[in-house]
Amino acid sequence: MSALPNDPAGGPERGRDFTERLALLLSQYRDFDELAQEDAAAAGNVRSLGRARKVSVSMPEELTAAVQRRVGRGAFSQYVTDAVARQLELDLLAELSGLLDAEHGPVPDELLAEARAAWPDTE
């Protein structure tokens, strides 16, 4: 049984559109993941996605101070970079999940229960 039917409800045009959107999203995720893995291996498990570009970001003073206390001034940029990379990965996964839900409906409760039983320590 295929997770991506060739002719979902709405006809073949909708199926093609869904497949194209899914392929693009998966491509973006793979590109992001490959860059992160290559650079993490090269940098000794530090996430770096290539050349750095200086940007200006406004953050609440309390948050800035908390990060600086935790990592020091020298590691501030890397800490923020890691956080943004994690958020981008979560956003791409959420987009994929939404796309799959829209096309196929929610995951049935019995399958969720089966997955939870297989990985009980993930909750």
Side-chain angles (χ1 to χ4, degrees), residues 4 31 69 102:
L4 299 173
D31 289 347
R69 279 192 306 272

Side-chain angles (χ1 to χ4, degrees), residues 9-82:
E13 282 303 312
R14 182 166 179 223
R16 239 187 321 279
D17 181 51
F18 170 76
T19 303
E20 288 170 4
R21 287 182 293 143
L22 181 59
L24 176 62
L25 184 60
L26 288 173
S27 172
Q28 289 173 335
Y29 182 77
R30 283 188 195 113
D31 289 347
F32 171 77
D33 190 50
E34 285 173 13
L35 281 172
Q37 286 179 13
E38 288 170 11
D39 289 334
N45 210 15
V46 175
R47 190 181 293 203
S48 170
L49 298 176
R51 282 185 14 187
R53 185 175 115 201
K54 189 169 182 97
V55 296
S56 175
V57 177
S58 298
M59 294 173 51
E61 286 182 31
E62 298 82 13
L63 184 58
T64 303
V67 171
Q68 286 177 338
R69 279 192 306 272
R70 176 168 291 279
V71 301
R73 286 185 170 270
F76 189 91
S77 290
Q78 187 62 51
Y79 191 87
V80 172
T81 297
D82 289 346

